[in-house]
Every structure is written in structure tokens, then in C-alpha cells.
Amino acid sequence: MHRRQKPSAPEHKRDLAAHGGALSMSHNDTRSFFNFSQLVLSAGHLKSPPVLKHSKITYFEVEILDVQSKKQICIVDKIPPSSTLLDVKHKFHKACPQWYPSRVGLQLERNGPYLKDSINIQSLAVSSIITLYFTDLGQQVGWTTFFLTEYTGPLLIYLLFYIRLSTIYDQVESTKNFRHPVVHLACFCHCLHYIRHLLETLFVHKFSGGHTPLKNMIKGCAFYWGFTSWIAYYINHPRYTPPSFGHRQVSFAALAFLMCEAGNHFINVTLSHQNHSGSKACFPSPTYNPFTWLFLLVSCPNYTYEVGSWISFTVMTQTLPVGIFAFLMVIQMSLWAQKKHKLYLKRFYPEVRRKAAMIPIIF
């Protein structure tokens, strides 16, 4: 048997020293890693040094040129990106006081459409300089003033003819001839129609602060005031004759007139609530009110009821001026209805595609 020999003392010490050195080095590394970990935990997450950003708001310059001569009128500078076209118009008015904002028409192109006041100026920018073309729209009036003036005239004009002024009719003939009840009924219905329009202009319709040229108001007043004078002259004339079918024709037409007036009012109220309810845009839907059920057939029932009122008034009075006026109203209302119907088709196609514009099947 061979005996295992023990290492000599010097060799044993050398081995212990080598082993001890290795243990000492391992222990030191562990302690260093522990200390580094404690330092990291106490200091929190390591973050890169913050980069200082110099925030700078970009301003736009709007160059306004004359649409005819292409000459520069002025430059509106320091326009913030959040500004609207209306803000540009106000600054333009300060530079050129003779053109107030509602009179200023701005276009991106010479033959392009007029830009809306609510458009954000940043959406028009291709660079820091924006070029717009200016057109003088002429003297403007607000929509409320437009409709109040247009509807107040017929109301007062008709009453002047109703009282039979001596400057209009012969007084002897006026006192001699008896007034048929339809004359009083026609005055009541005519006044009711325009009083409704005036009250709806003040309390129902919501105008967005837009304007229209003064010449449009003059044309509208000439049309309504002129026809009212012609209609009132015939109906209130001392020689006016009642309708052919007498009381039955008058009663039926008066009832239809009142129904159309009520329907027109309820449709306008529904449209007003629909446009300003703050909910998601959708096509006006009929309510529990039977007068609003016409929305199921046509997209513009307010024009349907308006035309119905004048057709009923024609049947009730049986006069040529009212018939001509009703015929022109049918044409005008159908054009407005077709225009609005096309807008509805773009916005609410699935709901409107099976509806007529104003009169079922015909229009």
C-alpha cells in the first residue's frame, strides 16, 4: 500500500496564501458591487441630463393683394397659428379702416370661393407667408336686420290698405260697399303669417353672426313689399268679390292655412333645437308632434309648409295677385330646397337618399 504524502510546510503555506488571496479578491469584488448598488438605489433612476429646448412660437405673415390689380394692399404680420381668418380681418381693418371685417372677402385664389371666418390660419399656411386676395363685398347688414326689415314691411303695408285710406280708395265707395267676412279673415291670416316670421327671427332662429350685402336686402324688400301692396289693394278694394264657392271654400282654405302655419313653426323649432343641441350632427328626425312627421317624406318640410300657406291663401281669397305670388314662391322654395337637399345628401346620405327635397315624388 502506498501512503499519501503530506505536503511540506512551505508548500502548504504557499497554497494557503494563494487560496486566501483569491478569497480576498472575490470578497472585495462583492463588496464593491454591493456599495455600487447601494449608491444607485439611494440616488434613484439614472437620468440623462435634461436637454434645454428653446421654445419659439412661429408667427405668420399674411400678404393681402387686390383681386383685380394684384397689387399689394398691406401685410398683416405677427399672426399666431391659433388665429382665425376673422382675426386677420380685424387686423386688416386696423390697417385699412375703410373696410370693416364683414365687408372684407378673402380668397386663396382669384377665382376661388370666399374663405369662412372660422377657418384656422394655420390650415392655409404652406410657408410663413400666406397670400390672400381681397374683394370689397360692399355694405353689409346682419341677418337679423335683414329679416326684420323684410317682414315688417308687408305687415304694416297690408294694414294700411285694410283700413282703406282715403288716398288709396274712394271714401264714398268704401262706406257704401259691405265688406265680406273673408276680407277680415284674410287680414288676420296675412298678419299672422308675418308676425310668426318676426317672432321666429327674434326667438327661434339662431344666426351665427353672418352678414349679407345690402343690395340683397333691398331686392328682398322690393319683392315682398311690392307684392304685398298689390295683394292688399285687390283684397281690400271696395269692389272685391268673395270666392266662387262661398263659405265652404273659405273655411277649408283657412283651416289648411292655419295648419301649414303651425307646421312651419314646429319644423323651425325642431331645426333650431337640432342645430344647437350640442349633440352629434344628424339629420332632423320627427318627434311626437304630428306636424314634424313630414320629415319622413321630405328633407325640407319648412318650405313645404310655406308653399302650402300661400296656396291656401290663394284659394281662400281667389285673387290673381296672390296666385302669381304663390307660383313664384313655389319656384323659389323649390330652388332653396334642392340646394339644401344636396347638402343633406353629402352629410347624411343613408338617411336622406330616399326622401324628396320639398314635395314628395314631384321635387
Side-chain angles (χ1 to χ4, degrees):
M1 295 179 64
H2 296 282
R3 285 188 178 181
R4 188 178 180 182
Q5 294 182 353
K6 294 182 180 181
S8 61
E11 291 177 358
H12 182 65
K13 289 180 180 180
R14 191 166 52 246
D15 293 338
L16 287 176
H19 183 65
L23 290 175
S24 177
M25 289 177 63
S26 176
H27 181 70
N28 290 337
D29 291 342
T30 305
R31 175 173 290 183
S32 299
F33 179 78
F34 177 77
N35 292 337
F36 180 74
S37 302
Q38 290 295 108
L39 178 63
V40 171
L41 292 175
S42 62
H45 296 289
L46 292 176
K47 295 183 179 179
S48 58
V51 179
L52 296 177
K53 295 182 179 180
H54 300 283
S55 59
K56 184 179 180 181
I57 300 177
T58 303
Y59 290 97
F60 295 102
E61 290 185 358
V62 179
E63 181 187 24
I64 300 179
L65 307 179
D66 183 75
V67 71
Q68 299 294 336
S69 62
K70 295 185 180 180
K71 293 182 179 179
Q72 185 185 96
I73 299 177
C74 72
I75 294 180
V76 182
D77 56 356
K78 294 184 178 180
I79 303 295
S82 59
S83 299
T84 62
L85 199 67
L86 183 61
D87 299 327
V88 176
K89 289 184 178 182
H90 281 292
K91 290 192 174 185
F92 178 64
H93 173 58
K94 290 182 180 180
C96 305
Q98 67 270 29
W99 293 308
Y100 49 90
S102 62
R103 188 167 180 164
V104 176
L106 296 177
Q107 305 159 272
L108 272 176
E109 300 175 356
R110 294 183 66 189
N111 298 324
Y114 293 115
L115 300 173
K116 294 183 179 181
D117 292 345
S118 58
I119 290 181
N120 189 282
I121 198 66
Q122 193 172 13
S123 63
L124 305 175
V126 179
S127 63
S128 60
I129 300 178
I130 304 172
T131 301
L132 298 177
Y133 293 94
F134 161 75
T135 301
D136 184 8
L137 300 178
Q139 193 166 356
Q140 305 286 301
V141 293
W143 284 110
T144 302
T145 304
F146 177 90
F147 288 116
L148 290 179
T149 306
E150 192 175 69
Y151 296 142
T152 302
L155 179 64
L156 300 178
I157 290 172
Y158 196 97
L159 291 176
L160 290 177
F161 283 90
Y162 176 74
I163 62 178
R164 290 183 175 177
L165 295 175
S166 58
T167 55
I168 302 175
Y169 302 112
D170 182 72
Q171 285 298 102
V172 177
E173 195 173 16
S174 298
T175 55
K176 185 189 301 184
N177 293 346
F178 171 75
R179 287 199 190 194
H180 194 274
V182 71
V183 175
H184 305 292
L185 182 61
C187 180
F188 169 77
C189 292
H190 191 275
C191 293
L192 176 67
H193 178 79
Y194 285 102
I195 289 174
R196 177 184 63 79
H197 273 303
L198 290 172
L199 293 178
E200 287 177 353
T201 300
L202 293 173
F203 304 109
V204 177
H205 298 301
K206 306 296 181 183
F207 304 105
S208 58
H211 297 79
T212 185
L214 178 63
K215 61 181 181 181
N216 288 348
M217 188 180 76
I218 295 175
K219 289 190 295 184
C221 290
F223 177 78
Y224 280 98
W225 294 15
F227 263 102
T228 299
S229 302
W230 192 22
I231 291 170
Y233 176 81
Y234 270 83
I235 296 177
N236 296 286
H237 199 279
R239 298 181 183 180
Y240 170 75
T241 55
S244 304
F245 296 95
H247 180 71
R248 181 177 298 179
Q249 178 179 344
V250 172
S251 301
F252 173 79
L255 180 62
F257 178 87
L258 294 176
M259 291 180 64
C260 289
E261 287 295 304
N264 202 339
H265 171 71
F266 289 122
I267 291 296
N268 288 331
V269 171
T270 302
L271 290 173
S272 177
H273 290 326
Q274 188 75 22
N275 294 335
H276 301 275
S277 59
S279 59
K280 184 179 178 181
C282 59
F283 182 75
S285 56
T287 63
Y288 63 89
N289 190 332
F291 289 102
T292 64
W293 294 352
L294 200 56
F295 273 121
L296 298 173
L297 301 176
V298 297
S299 58
C300 304
N302 52 328
Y303 297 143
T304 308
Y305 283 123
E306 183 75 12
V307 168
S309 294
W310 286 111
I311 293 176
S312 302
F313 195 77
T314 303
V315 175
M316 181 177 63
T317 57
Q318 196 173 312
T319 54
L320 180 63
V322 184
I324 296 175
F325 182 75
F327 176 73
L328 294 177
M329 291 296 288
V330 170
I331 296 175
Q332 182 63 72
M333 295 294 167
S334 63
L335 294 176
W336 288 343
Q338 288 288 345
K339 184 178 180 180
K340 186 173 289 187
H341 186 70
K342 290 180 180 179
L343 294 177
Y344 281 150
L345 284 175
K346 292 181 180 178
R347 297 180 61 190
F348 318 113
Y349 174 73
E351 302 174 71
V352 185
R353 63 188 180 92
R354 294 180 180 270
K355 302 179 189 295
M358 186 178 75
I359 300 176
I361 301 174
I362 299 178
F363 295 105

